[in-house]
Amino acid sequence: MSWFNRRIALSRSLKAVAALGLSISLAGCFTPLYGSMNGHLSSELQAIAIDPAPELLGHYVVDELITDLNGTGSSPAPKYRLALTTKERVQSALIDTVTRRASAATVVTDINYVLTPAGGGKPITQGTVTSAATYNRSEQRFANIRAARDAEIRNAKVIADQITIRLSTALATRS
């Protein structure tokens, strides 16, 4: 092996050792979201009482949130209240030029959420979450209704996941 090849091999091994050392030194700096320092985040999420939301879309979102926040089935005393307001719209972007009917539509869902202490007071966190799901339309009326409902359900799952992450972040960083 020539001197030049040994130098390249040594350089590569030093880089590997440096990368390994850096990754080991940074391993303790990151905390998983659901593994907070005190291990209390899951109990904090279970203590969120969700107010009923209007309409069928609100029911889907509340149902998904109940599963995401407290999938254990336990019912601890509520420390927080989560209020939701829903807004939904349907957009048709694609029109068939022969039949003059929309061949696809998009259900856009906006949810405003506010997390407050159960006893009332200043909101801990609040915001708006948006999701959009596209579905195909056909000439059959029932198929269109069912496809739109499936799009609502997909939106509800995405929105519940986003709200859960935002609530988890707010409660984990709360001092």
Side-chain angles (χ1 to χ4, degrees), residues 33-47 79-80 168 170-175:
L33 181 61
Y34 294 106
S36 63
M37 297 302 270
N38 298 329
H40 72 287
L41 184 58
S42 61
S43 63
E44 292 292 307
L45 291 174
Q46 291 174 1
K79 294 182 186 177
Y80 311 101
S168 300
L171 292 175
T173 57
R174 189 171 182 228
S175 52

Side-chain angles (χ1 to χ4, degrees), residues 24-123:
I24 289 173
S25 67
L26 290 177
C29 296
F30 299 103
T31 304
L33 181 61
Y34 294 106
S36 63
M37 297 302 270
N38 298 329
H40 72 287
L41 184 58
S42 61
S43 63
E44 292 292 307
L45 291 174
Q46 291 174 1
I48 296 175
I50 305 168
D51 294 340
E55 300 178 6
L56 188 58
L57 173 66
H59 168 74
Y60 291 145
V61 173
V62 168
D63 190 45
E64 290 293 329
L65 280 170
I66 288 171
T67 303
D68 286 353
L69 298 175
N70 186 8
T72 64
S74 65
S75 54
K79 294 182 186 177
Y80 311 101
R81 296 211 69 74
L82 180 65
L84 304 171
T85 56
T86 62
K87 188 170 108 177
E88 184 178 57
R89 59 191 182 277
V90 178
Q91 299 174 340
S92 298
L94 303 175
I95 306 293
D96 187 353
T97 57
V98 175
T99 62
R100 295 184 188 151
R101 293 180 186 231
S103 59
T106 302
V107 176
V108 181
T109 305
D110 300 315
I111 302 284
N112 294 321
Y113 66 92
V114 179
L115 181 69
T116 56
K122 182 179 166 185

